[in-house]
Amino acid sequence: MRLLRNFWGAFKEFFTSFPFIFQNQLGHFFLIALFSAAGLWLSWYFVNTSINDWMVRIVSDGLSSIGVWEWTPSWLQSTLLDIVDWSVWLILIWLQIKLFKFVVLFVLSPLMSAVATKTYGKLNPSHETGNQSLLKQVFRGMGAAILFTSLEWFFVAILFLLSFLISTFIPVLLPILVVFPIISGGISAWFYGAVLTDYSCELKGLSPTQSLRLSWKNFGRVLGLGLPFYILMSVPILSWFFGPVIGVVTCVVASMKLWHNQSSEFQRQR
């Protein structure tokens, strides 16, 4: 029961953060996030287009070098290159979807650090910047993104292996595989919450190990923090806007507010 109460309390912080953001003149971070996201989108497009053109050129040159183009009709050449073009594009889109959440957490870490620091200052006017410089917090945020995402992928891989073993060797347990996607989503949401929590921990002087330990002790709260971010980053197509813009700013603010409101328990669990 306490787990659910903590989860719901943290989850609600996401919605209560919107008025806090605008009441404390933090709304400009949404605009910064929008420009940052636009740069990220353009970078993705440039990389995808460059790799796509490169692969098509390799295939075309390879077929020419072995003399295939000499006896291939022009319409068939065009069709083959179109197939290669679309195949490479779909593969890149798939990789993009798989890596997008990590890229947002890593690349937009400077923005998340700035939001966390500014929110900390609004919540603690007498201690404007926390215990660490913004530059150190940026590197800490990038490191947390790498560490927690690696752990997330590790546990998801174990879950995938377990589902494979069950489906192959224990068919009678196949019905329980229905819950595996839910568990996988829960794992991802929790680790997103752990990344968000780390910004508060860093500003309060906790090490990455202490941050991870605190997140585990507050499993429900961390899951409640990470779930809105997970949802915003998972909406097809719209996640390109909701995740990097609304999710990054609002979820960081929600995390800072939550741990500020739980400061006495935060200190006791250090």
Side-chain angles (χ1 to χ4, degrees):
M1 195 65 181
R2 182 183 178 186
L3 178 68
L4 292 176
R5 186 169 60 252
N6 289 342
F7 166 82
W8 181 243
F11 186 76
K12 288 192 299 183
E13 286 289 350
F14 173 79
F15 300 98
T16 61
S17 293
F18 285 100
F20 177 89
I21 288 171
F22 292 106
Q23 289 169 5
N24 289 275
Q25 295 80 48
L26 300 175
H28 63 281
F29 281 114
F30 284 120
L31 187 60
I32 297 174
L34 180 61
F35 283 110
S36 300
L40 188 59
W41 300 331
L42 290 174
S43 298
W44 273 113
Y45 178 79
F46 174 77
V47 171
N48 285 358
T49 302
S50 299
I51 294 177
N52 195 301
D53 292 343
W54 178 64
M55 289 299 297
V56 171
R57 187 165 56 251
I58 286 179
V59 171
S60 179
D61 293 345
L63 293 175
S64 297
S65 65
I66 61 177
V68 173
W69 270 178
E70 297 178 2
W71 51 266
T72 305
S74 59
W75 65 268
L76 184 56
Q77 293 180 20
S78 177
T79 301
L80 289 172
L81 291 179
D82 284 343
I83 291 174
V84 173
D85 186 20
W86 280 102
S87 298
V88 173
W89 188 261
L90 289 174
I91 291 172
L92 290 174
I93 290 295
W94 180 81
L95 289 173
Q96 183 173 309
I97 292 172
K98 292 298 182 183
L99 295 175
F100 181 59
K101 297 169 186 175
F102 165 73
V103 170
V104 167
L105 290 173
F106 183 81
V107 175
L108 298 189
S109 177
L111 174 61
M112 298 173 76
S113 298
V115 174
T117 301
K118 196 66 176 179
T119 306
Y120 186 94
K122 296 294 183 180
L123 295 170
N124 305 273
S126 61
H127 201 173
E128 186 71 23
T129 59
N131 293 333
Q132 299 292 340
S133 69
L134 180 60
L135 183 60
K136 288 182 178 180
Q137 191 179 1
V138 168
F139 286 115
R140 168 73 173 260
M142 290 180 174
I146 295 173
L147 173 62
F148 293 148
T149 302
S150 299
L151 290 173
E152 175 201 346
W153 289 349
F154 173 74
F155 286 112
V156 169
I158 290 178
L159 191 65
F160 176 79
L161 177 61
L162 182 60
S163 65
F164 172 77
L165 294 175
I166 289 176
S167 60
T168 304
F169 301 106
I170 319 176
V172 70
L173 297 181
L174 281 176
I176 71 170
L177 295 183
V178 175
V179 303
F180 275 30
I182 300 175
I183 297 174
S184 177
I187 290 173
S188 297
W190 187 86
F191 276 108
Y192 296 150
V195 172
L196 295 169
T197 297
D198 189 65
Y199 285 97
S200 296
C201 291
E202 194 275 341
L203 284 170
K204 292 180 181 293
L206 273 67
S207 68
T209 302
Q210 290 173 317
S211 172
L212 190 58
R213 188 181 302 120
L214 180 77
S215 292
W216 180 250
K217 289 180 179 179
N218 294 272
F219 185 91
R221 290 193 180 104
V222 172
L223 182 61
L225 283 174
L227 185 59
F229 193 78
Y230 174 79
I231 293 173
L232 291 172
M233 294 290 289
S234 301
V235 179
I237 301 177
L238 294 179
S239 63
W240 284 86
F241 171 78
F242 287 131
V245 180
I246 298 177
V248 162
V249 176
T250 312
C251 290
V252 169
V253 172
S255 172
M256 300 301 296
K257 286 173 70 262
L258 174 71
W259 296 115
H260 175 76
N261 295 335
Q262 303 293 332
S263 58
S264 58
E265 187 170 351
F266 189 106
Q267 294 295 331
R268 188 171 65 252
Q269 294 179 358
R270 292 184 62 165

